Amino acid sequence: MNDKLSIFLLVVKNMNFSRTAEELFMTQPAVSQYVKNLEEELGVQLFDRSHKQIQLTKAGEIVAYYGKEIDTLSQSMKRKLDDLTSHVGGDLLLGASYSYGEYLLPKRLAAFLDVYPQVVPSICIANTAEIAEKIVDQTLDLGIIEGTVNNKWIESHKIATDHLVVVAKSGQLVHNLDTHTWIIREEGSGTREAFDNFKKEHKLNPTHTMVFGSTQLIKEAVANGLGLALLSEWTIQDEIHLNKLQIIRREDFHYQRDFHAIHLNTPFLTKTTDTFLDYLKRNK
């Protein structure tokens, strides 16, 4: 069933038998026969072929949905079985939240690849909630997040401590933090969680906030005088050096948080994933 299912899923992706045949270096009748055999095996019709363009039937939608999960689990199983007899190398699917992924991960990964050059990393940058979701879906091997995750399917390991500070446009006078606009991240972001905790800790009640979807965008907005922000010191080094941003009363207004590496709560981590996790834990 695996070959028939894989070909069916590719047809679903392309919604075109001819294009699928070209990708697989097969004839169109051969692709059609694989799909027909799957339909016979399952006892349902997967495509409505009565229109000019093929369309999935309701049964086809169900098979496509669960077929993708089966394919993901099958690929994961093969990788883990291969790992039993292999060295550290091959694919490493990483997810990271913005602060760590854009400012710390490249350096850590470069040093790791110097030791293990046969590892082939792939990196997804997203917020904490999205990374956690991809770990549970098993589309990532390892995630690095700046927030917290309460999920029984996820195991977490502290790998670094981060310090956040209040920043403003260089030269801007800042007296009462409540009277300024605050530029913050979206819900689900670890930096947003840090701001919410910082706000409670310092009893802040800003009159106006703006929600921006990336740290880089927030830095540019603050540098242009649109408001204040709470950002990781790791992310603002260049702007401080170029005198675009200033830190406001570091001794009074700061926040500390931990970065965590997360993975599916399973004893079957690949050797490559386990080795990279160990490297992160030893190089905090």
Side-chain angles (χ1 to χ4, degrees):
M1 180 177 176
N2 281 350
D3 289 342
K4 296 189 286 288
L5 182 61
S6 296
I7 291 173
F8 165 72
L9 290 174
L10 188 55
V11 174
V12 172
K13 177 183 176 183
N14 293 326
M15 291 308 289
N16 187 291
F17 280 88
S18 297
R19 191 177 305 131
T20 301
E22 290 175 4
E23 289 187 25
L24 296 174
F25 300 100
M26 298 171 61
T27 64
Q28 181 178 332
V31 171
S32 298
Q33 187 61 49
Y34 270 101
V35 174
K36 183 178 179 181
N37 290 344
L38 181 61
E39 289 178 322
E40 291 175 352
E41 183 174 337
L42 296 175
V44 294
Q45 183 177 341
L46 300 174
F47 290 106
D48 181 353
R49 300 171 177 82
S50 63
H51 302 279
K52 190 173 183 180
Q53 293 182 325
I54 61 171
Q55 296 178 343
L56 282 170
T57 62
K58 190 64 178 178
E61 291 176 359
I62 293 172
V63 175
Y65 177 83
Y66 286 103
K68 290 176 184 176
E69 292 192 8
I70 292 170
D71 188 61
T72 297
L73 288 172
S74 176
Q75 293 300 322
S76 180
M77 179 186 69
K78 289 177 182 177
R79 289 177 59 214
K80 287 174 173 59
L81 289 175
D82 290 343
D83 184 66
L84 289 176
T85 57
S86 67
H87 56 286
V88 178
D91 293 337
L92 177 61
L93 308 179
L94 299 173
S97 54
Y98 290 90
S99 297
Y100 195 97
E102 293 182 340
Y103 297 95
L104 291 177
L105 184 57
K107 181 179 179 180
R108 298 285 191 274
L109 194 54
F112 181 76
L113 293 178
D114 281 342
V115 182
Y116 302 105
Q118 292 184 307
V119 173
V120 182
S122 176
I123 302 173
C124 166
I125 302 295
N127 69 33
T128 293
E130 292 167 333
I131 294 298
E133 183 179 343
K134 290 179 182 295
I135 290 292
V136 174
D137 289 345
Q138 300 187 59
T139 54
L140 291 176
D141 297 319
L142 194 71
I144 303 170
I145 62 171
E146 57 199 40
T148 56
V149 173
N150 295 313
N151 189 311
K152 66 179 181 179
W153 303 109
I154 290 178
E155 187 171 333
S156 178
H157 308 264
K158 177 183 173 181
I159 60 167
T161 298
D162 186 21
H163 300 275
L164 293 90
V165 291
V166 177
V167 294
K169 178 182 180 181
S170 184
Q172 180 179 354
L173 295 177
V174 178
H175 298 296
N176 186 342
L177 299 185
D178 281 341
T179 62
H180 292 268
T181 295
W182 281 81
I183 305 174
I184 61 178
R185 286 288 305 278
E186 75 284 358
E187 292 284 352
S189 160
T191 300
R192 173 61 175 271
E193 180 183 330
F195 171 76
D196 290 341
N197 291 336
F198 173 83
K199 185 173 67 172
K200 292 178 183 177
E201 183 179 311
H202 291 276
K203 297 181 173 58
L204 295 180
N205 187 27
T207 56
H208 186 55
T209 59
M210 291 191 289
V211 179
F212 286 178
S214 79
T215 298
Q216 186 60 41
L217 186 57
I218 290 176
K219 290 193 297 182
E220 290 298 322
V222 174
N224 282 279
L226 292 184
L228 309 180
L230 183 74
L231 294 175
S232 165
E233 284 195 273
W234 282 324
T235 70
I236 59 173
Q237 297 302 308
D238 288 344
E239 288 76 12
I240 294 294
H241 179 71
L242 295 172
N243 200 33
K244 296 175 65 176
L245 295 177
Q246 62 173 326
I247 296 174
I248 304 299
R249 293 168 55 188
R250 185 200 306 265
E251 66 280 2
D252 297 322
F253 302 119
H254 60 271
Y255 184 81
Q256 181 174 303
R257 66 179 175 185
D258 294 326
F259 281 111
H260 290 85
I262 61 173
H263 59 78
L264 201 64
N265 188 5
T266 171
F268 303 117
L269 289 181
T270 67
K271 189 179 299 181
T272 299
T273 302
D274 194 44
T275 302
F276 186 61
L277 173 60
D278 183 62
Y279 170 81
L280 291 176
K281 291 161 69 174
R282 287 186 289 105
N283 294 272
K284 294 182 180 180

